[in-house]
């Protein structure tokens, strides 16, 4: 249901009959909470997050569009996460009829101001839904509505902040042996080693040509997040670690220990749409019990 969230910002609460829930702010089309049927919060949201436009909310799932990071001339991560979205009461039908009952459709179109910094008309429709099993699905449909016949090109990411018990006991599976661009080394290209990724320092890597499924294993909680994606060939892995954490005003000094960003993205090969064409990018998150023991 639609209600007032922090600082009176409009928020939608999705509840699934078996108890899982999610919250999304119209500001940024920003999912800030995803809880399982035991009411456990599965996403990280900084205790110092600033819910005040134009500052992006620190945590949850920021939508990076029409630019990921500083891969272009716009502000960091584009502007979709800094705008007020609307509820789309009459979205075009979704071909794949989602079985989800708990969902909301949001829409973002550029303002006159936006057109000055990014001179392209678009309709960005975002469906956020909870499956009966409590999986969280985000489906983006972005259409080029330019009247001037011009195509446009963009990069994109679901900048998902997962809540983890202790970053030093997290493993990521599915990215082994892949090439990645290291944002901490001038975006140079490297190849990942052969076993699961673990964390003992700042990491900021864009993995290229990644599989549909990536697993994030939390040892203490004996829980695995499974990220499934479609239309998003890359995956960004980011943890700011101690020094960068201290440098962010909207991020607690110790909070890096309890979060990991794994972001379904399209960065290496920007997406180009001709007028009338639509792109779709989907991510589905599940949280399942795992028998993972550290060092396995
Ligand atoms: O997703 C990785 C990244 O591009 C990092 O380089 C870091 O800048 C992070 O995004 C956070 O960006 P933000 O603008 O939300 O502070």
């Amino acid at each position: 249901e639609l209600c007032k969230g922090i600082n009176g910002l409009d928020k939608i609460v999705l509840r699934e009959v078996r108890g899982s829930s999610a919250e999304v702010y119209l500001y940024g089309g920003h999912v800030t909470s995803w809880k399982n049927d035991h009411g456990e919060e599965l996403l990280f949201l900084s205790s110092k997050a600033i819910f005040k436009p134009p500052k992006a909310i620190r945590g949850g799932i920021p939508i990076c569009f029409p630019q990921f990071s500083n891969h272009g001339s716009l502000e960091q991560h584009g502007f979709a996460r800094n705008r007020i979205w609307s509820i789309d009461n009459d979205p075009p039908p979704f071909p794949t009829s989602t079985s989800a009952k708990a969902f909301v459709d949001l829409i973002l179109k550029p303002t006159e101001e936006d057109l000055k910094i990014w001179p392209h008309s678009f309709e960005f429709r975002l469906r956020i839904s909870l499956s009966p099993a409590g999986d969280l699905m985000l489906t983006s449909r972005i259409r080029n509505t330019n009247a001037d016949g011009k195509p446009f090109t963009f990069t994109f990411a679901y900048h998902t902040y997962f809540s983890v018990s202790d970053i030093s006991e997290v493993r990521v599976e599915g990215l082994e042996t892949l090439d990645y661009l290291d944002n901490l080394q001038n975006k140079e290209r490297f190849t990942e080693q052969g076993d699961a990724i673990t964390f003992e320092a700042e990491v900021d890597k864009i993995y290229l040509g990644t599989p549909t499924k990536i697993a994030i294993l939390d040892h203490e909680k004996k829980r695995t997040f499974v990220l499934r994606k479609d239309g998003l060939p890359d995956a960004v892995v980011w943890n700011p670690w101690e020094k960068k954490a201290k440098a962010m005003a909207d991020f607690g000094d110790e909070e890096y220990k309890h979060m990991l960003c794994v972001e379904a993205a399209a960065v290496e090969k920007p997406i180009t749409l001709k007028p009338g064409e639509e792109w779709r990018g989907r991510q589905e998150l599940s949280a399942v019990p795992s028998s993972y023991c550290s060092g396995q």
Side-chain angles (χ1 to χ4, degrees):
E1 88 267 8
L2 179 61
C3 56
K4 291 291 180 194
I6 296 175
N7 292 344
L9 290 170
D10 286 332
K11 171 176 88 169
I12 291 138
V13 180
L14 298 177
R15 290 187 210 293
E16 224 294 317
V17 286
R18 295 190 200 166
S20 60
S21 67
E23 296 188 356
V24 50
Y25 276 78
L26 290 189
Y27 176 50
H30 200 131
V31 174
T32 52
S33 171
W34 167 42
K35 289 181 180 171
N36 64 16
D37 49 6
H38 302 295
E40 284 178 291
E41 179 57 68
L42 301 168
L43 296 179
F44 167 85
L45 184 67
S46 173
S47 59
K48 304 175 101 175
I50 295 163
F51 284 74
K52 198 167 176 312
K55 175 74 183 155
I57 298 167
R58 175 70 62 193
I61 308 177
I63 303 286
C64 301
F65 173 83
Q67 173 191 294
F68 172 73
S69 190
N70 51 14
H71 294 245
S73 60
L74 296 175
E75 60 196 285
Q76 168 93 335
H77 291 322
F79 54 79
R81 66 178 184 166
N82 311 92
R83 298 290 182 273
I84 305 280
W85 292 54
S86 312
I87 294 176
D88 183 0
N89 291 310
D90 181 22
F94 265 74
T96 49
S97 62
T98 54
S99 61
K101 299 281 176 296
F103 67 90
V104 65
D105 288 301
L106 304 182
I107 185 164
L108 179 72
K109 294 180 195 173
T111 61
E112 285 311 309
E113 286 307 300
D114 296 333
L115 290 166
K116 286 180 192 151
I117 57 168
W118 200 64
H120 301 295
S121 298
F122 62 84
E123 287 177 0
F124 183 156
R125 287 183 165 81
L126 174 65
R127 172 171 288 190
I128 298 120
S129 54
L130 278 173
S131 75
D135 298 344
L136 178 67
M137 294 175 277
L138 274 69
T139 306
S140 292
R141 295 187 287 177
I142 296 172
R143 179 180 297 281
N144 178 337
T145 53
N146 273 337
D148 61 6
K150 285 204 189 109
F152 64 60
T153 299
F154 65 94
T155 51
F156 182 98
Y158 289 118
H159 198 298
T160 308
Y161 286 72
F162 291 95
S163 173
V164 298
S165 319
D166 176 351
I167 187 63
S168 61
E169 293 199 323
V170 167
R171 286 150 57 96
V172 172
E173 295 178 350
L175 301 175
E176 299 83 351
T177 74
L178 294 179
D179 278 8
Y180 62 87
L181 307 178
D182 191 341
N183 206 30
L184 303 178
Q185 300 186 68
N186 284 329
K187 298 186 174 63
E188 271 175 49
R189 194 177 179 121
F190 298 87
T191 301
E192 189 52 77
Q193 29 93 349
D195 50 48
I197 300 165
T198 54
F199 302 89
E200 47 277 322
E202 180 184 358
V203 65
D204 190 352
K205 299 177 177 177
I206 304 172
Y207 289 86
L208 309 173
T210 62
T212 306
K213 191 174 122 176
I214 299 170
I216 299 130
L217 291 78
D218 180 332
H219 170 59
E220 194 177 311
K221 285 258 178 22
K222 298 233 177 309
R223 168 162 62 208
T224 297
F225 290 112
V226 179
L227 186 164
R228 289 181 178 82
K229 54 193 178 63
D230 190 36
L232 294 158
D234 306 324
V236 185
V237 176
W238 177 59
N239 186 294
W241 220 255
E242 185 168 8
K243 189 160 158 279
K244 285 267 176 68
K246 287 195 164 76
M248 288 188 278
D250 61 343
F251 194 91
D253 291 356
E254 301 292 307
E255 287 188 330
Y256 71 93
K257 295 176 180 169
H258 307 295
M259 54 69 72
L260 178 66
C261 283
V262 179
E263 310 162 31
V267 180
E268 184 193 29
K269 299 184 180 80
I271 295 151
T272 297
L273 294 177
K274 297 191 198 75
E277 278 188 330
E278 177 175 270
W279 171 81
R280 191 174 313 164
R282 216 172 111 80
Q283 86 164 5
E284 193 171 310
L285 306 179
S286 334
V288 296
S290 65
S291 56
Y292 150 57
C293 307
S294 196
Q296 214 172 18

